[in-house]
Amino acid sequence: MTEQANDRPIGVFDSGVGGLTVARAIRDQLPNESMIYVGDTARTPYGPRPIAEVRSFALEILDGLVEQGVKMLVIACNTASAAMLRDAHERYDVPVVEVIGPTVRSAMSITRNGRVGLIGTAGTIQSRVYDDLFSMRPEIELTARACPRFVELVEAGRTSGPEVLEIAEEYLAPLVTRRIDTLVLGCTHYPFLRGAIRQVVGPEVALVSSDIETAAEVYRVLTQRGLLRATGAEAIAPAEPEVRYEATGDDTAGFVELARRMLGIGIDAVDHLATGAIRLPNG
C-alpha cells in the first residue's frame, strides 16, 4: 500500500449524532488518522424505518464516502449494520468495520452468569442479528428490548432528568428482572444516556457500548492491512490529520451544538450533504 493511499481518511457513517461517540473513540486511539464523518440527520432516526429503506439510505451514504476516497468504512450505526452489513462487505473494495460484531465479542467475554441484556432500536432488535451472533454461545441467554424513545431523547439533547429516568425504568425493568450481569448498548446514541441506564440496572451490571470496541477493531484492521497513516520520520510529507463533518439535514448549527454540548467536540463547520435515492441492484 502506498504512502498516499495510507493518507486517505477513514469514513464514518451514522444516522445522526450518535456515531460521534465512535468517531471520538477512533480519534482517541488513532489521533494521526484523518476522518470524514457523515450524519444522515435529515432521515434520522433509522430505528422505526423498514429495513429495505435503511439499506437504501446507508448504501447511498457509503457510496458517497467511497467516492470521496476513504481507505476504510466504519458503519457507526447498529440499525444500518443490521440492515446491510453483508451488502457492504460485498459491494466495496475497502475494509468495512461495523459496530455489532466487536460489541458482541466483548459482551461474550465479560458475562459471568451467562445472562446478557440487549437494548436497541426497533429495527436492530427485529433484525435478530444480535441473536444470530450470540447463538454461537448457546449457554448465553440473551434478553432483548427495543427502546425507541432513547434516540429521540438524545437527538433532542435531553439526557438526564426525571422524564429520562422514568423512560429508562420502563424499558429496562424486564432486563433487571432477568438478573442480567451484562447489558449491550445496541445503539451509538445510548452512551449519552449511560447515567440513567446505570442508575436503573445498578453498578453490578457491566455496560458494553460500541464506541471503544469498534475503535479497537478499526485499529486492528488498519494495522493488519498495513493501512496506518505514517508518522514522524516515516512520513514522506508530514501533514496534520484532517477531520471533516457532513450532515444531510439543514440544521448544521444544531449538529455542531449537540456535538459540543454532549461530547465536548469543537466543530468549526459542518458541510451540507444532499441526499437522493439511489437505484439498487436486484436481489
Side-chain angles (χ1 to χ4, degrees):
M1 194 63 62
T2 67
E3 179 76 18
Q4 185 177 4
N6 285 25
D7 285 344
R8 292 180 298 168
I10 299 168
V12 182
F13 154 65
D14 183 49
S15 61
V17 300
L20 288 171
T21 57
V22 175
R24 181 177 65 175
I26 293 172
R27 291 284 291 159
D28 288 344
Q29 293 198 31
L30 294 162
N32 193 56
E33 296 292 337
S34 295
M35 185 185 306
I36 302 174
Y37 179 92
V38 177
D40 193 5
T41 52
R43 302 178 292 203
T44 194
Y46 278 7
R49 294 182 180 276
I51 289 295
E53 188 175 43
V54 171
R55 175 176 175 265
S56 175
F57 293 165
L59 289 174
E60 177 190 356
I61 300 292
L62 295 176
D63 281 358
L65 282 168
V66 170
E67 288 175 4
Q68 292 189 64
V70 299
K71 65 180 177 181
M72 167 184 277
L73 292 168
V74 179
I75 308 172
C77 175
N78 284 262
T79 306
S81 294
M84 43 70 69
L85 180 58
R86 183 174 299 176
D87 295 290
H89 282 295
E90 295 175 352
R91 187 179 183 91
Y92 305 113
D93 293 330
V94 298
V96 178
V97 171
E98 44 75 37
V99 292
I100 296 177
T103 308
V104 168
R105 290 191 291 272
S106 178
M108 285 179 173
S109 68
I110 289 173
T111 183
R112 304 174 303 280
N113 67 7
R115 294 174 182 170
V116 176
L118 164 68
I119 55 176
T121 67
T124 296
I125 301 302
Q126 291 167 7
S127 75
R128 300 188 65 84
V129 65
Y130 276 95
D131 302 74
D132 292 342
L133 292 176
F134 273 107
S135 68
M136 295 185 292
R137 292 275 302 277
E139 73 277 14
I140 292 179
E141 175 187 294
L142 180 66
T143 304
R145 181 86 162 137
C147 305
R149 293 194 63 190
F150 275 179
V151 171
E152 297 174 14
L153 290 171
V154 171
E155 293 284 345
R158 295 153 56 197
T159 58
S160 62
E163 180 192 11
V164 173
L165 187 60
E166 182 180 348
I167 293 170
E169 288 174 342
E170 176 187 346
Y171 284 150
L172 300 172
L175 304 182
V176 174
T177 300
R178 299 299 299 174
R179 292 188 297 165
I180 61 170
D181 75 348
T182 304
L183 177 62
V184 175
L185 308 185
C187 176
T188 51
H189 287 69
Y190 294 178
F192 292 114
L193 301 169
R194 185 183 294 269
I197 293 170
R198 169 63 68 206
Q199 186 164 340
V200 174
V201 301
E204 69 282 358
V205 175
L207 302 184
V208 181
S209 60
S210 54
D211 49 358
I212 303 300
E213 308 304 330
T214 303
E217 181 73 359
V218 168
Y219 187 100
R220 185 190 69 80
V221 172
L222 289 179
T223 302
Q224 185 181 62
R225 300 204 181 193
L227 285 170
L228 286 172
R229 190 167 182 260
T231 61
E234 298 177 357
I236 296 175
E240 288 296 317
E242 296 181 1
V243 180
R244 189 163 78 250
Y245 298 91
E246 300 176 350
T248 58
D250 294 327
D251 187 13
T252 55
F255 183 100
V256 171
E257 173 60 19
L258 273 175
R260 183 200 62 76
R261 178 155 40 89
M262 303 173 72
L263 277 172
I265 295 178
I267 298 177
D268 294 329
V270 177
D271 298 326
H272 181 264
L273 185 67
T275 61
I278 59 173
R279 297 182 64 84
L280 297 176
N282 294 327

